[in-house]
Every structure is written in C-alpha cells, then in structure tokens.
Amino acid sequence: MAERPQDSAAPPPPRPLDAIDQGILRILQADGRASIRSVAERVHVSRANAYARINRLVEDGVIRGFSARVDHERAGQGTSAYITLKIVQNSWRTVREQLEELPGAAHIALVGGDFDVLLLVHTPDNRALRELVLTRIQAIPQVLSTRTLLVFEEQDLEPRN
C-alpha cells in the first residue's frame, strides 16, 4: 500500500477525472490484478495511454495502492468489531499512531458526532477482542472511553459500473 502523505505536507490539488479515468478506477477496484492490456481494451484506449493514466492516478494519490480483499474468518480473524473512542481534544495524531500499531486494526477514522474515532478491528475470537479493547486501547492515556460494536455479518460492496 502506498504511504500516507505527511500531515504537514499539502496534498496536490484534486484533478478532475474524466470518464476514462473513472472507468480505470472501477476496473482496478474490482480487480487490482487486471493487466494493462485488459484495462486498455475495456476503456477503449491504447496500452500506453492506460499505463500513463494509471501512473498519473498513482502519482496524484488517487490510487493509494493495490491490495487483496481478505475473508477474515477464513484467515483466522473470525471476530470483527467497530470500536468507537472518545479522545482528549487535539490528541488525534498521537492516538492514531498508537492505534495503527494494534494487531488486527483495519481502518481508523477521525469522525464528528457523539464520538471522535471509529476503529475497525479483526481478531481471532472474542477473547482476543476483549484483550485488545480492555488492555491495549483503554491503556492509551488520551482515550477517555470506548464502545464496542460487534459485527455479526459483513459484506464488501463491489464498485458500481
């Protein structure tokens, strides 16, 4: 996965995406292993054009990286949960750095509303989830409170064409 730009560095201004760029993104979201040739044929451009566009999308930060979609249960991570956190004001960067190091942390978001942070985790079982929340997350000094929402079933959504 591509590295996240530093918080202090200003990202490049967004560039409007045309229909071909959007088509390339849809194809790669559905199959990150699609060949340049296949992508080019499906969006009706030359391979050189498709290659250049994909490189530009990566360089501009539109494409942050390529990854595999994992069935967490089959990978031994059968318990998933969203954990909401209330944190000390202005401690987001410090808390984020510590949450990134947690085993099974899959997604971290700073949000507005009744809580400050939303964290998605995957663990082997409920015992590991309990340990993660009670001994790792709640031990972070800037975490004021947590609430755990157990995921009963989940479905990744495919990109719409």
Side-chain angles (χ1 to χ4, degrees):
M1 206 54 135
E3 292 185 29
R4 179 180 61 245
Q6 296 299 317
D7 291 314
S8 60
R15 186 184 311 192
L17 302 179
D18 63 17
I20 293 171
D21 289 336
Q22 292 172 4
I24 290 170
L25 290 176
R26 278 193 299 276
I27 292 165
L28 293 176
Q29 283 177 301
D31 180 7
R33 293 172 33 154
S35 69
I36 297 289
R37 180 180 177 182
S38 169
V39 170
E41 288 173 357
R42 292 174 61 190
V43 296
H44 310 291
V45 298
S46 70
R47 282 184 290 200
N49 189 338
Y51 183 80
R53 284 174 176 265
I54 291 169
N55 279 342
R56 190 196 80 231
L57 291 167
V58 170
E59 289 169 6
D60 287 352
V62 174
I63 295 176
R64 296 183 298 177
F66 299 87
S67 63
R69 290 190 306 262
V70 175
D71 182 322
H72 296 286
E73 191 168 345
R74 293 191 52 81
Q77 301 288 304
T79 298
S80 297
Y82 286 95
I83 303 167
T84 66
L85 295 84
K86 289 186 181 181
I87 62 174
V88 172
Q89 188 173 4
N90 297 321
S91 66
W92 162 242
R93 287 175 183 83
T94 302
V95 171
R96 180 186 64 205
E97 289 171 3
Q98 293 176 69
L99 295 176
E100 287 173 346
E101 299 301 318
L102 295 175
H107 184 85
I108 304 167
L110 177 66
V111 298
D114 294 337
F115 49 89
D116 304 305
V117 178
L118 183 62
L119 171 67
L120 172 62
V121 298
H122 303 289
T123 62
D125 52 35
N126 284 353
R127 174 167 287 177
L129 175 62
R130 178 183 183 279
E131 185 73 16
L132 184 72
V133 172
L134 297 181
T135 64
R136 299 285 300 270
I137 296 173
Q138 290 184 356
I140 298 171
Q142 299 85 357
V143 172
L144 302 173
S145 66
T146 64
R147 176 172 282 165
T148 304
L149 307 166
L150 193 60
V151 174
F152 294 127
E153 186 175 322
E154 61 186 323
Q155 176 68 47
D156 288 333
L157 300 178
E158 298 296 324
R160 296 176 190 226
N161 290 329

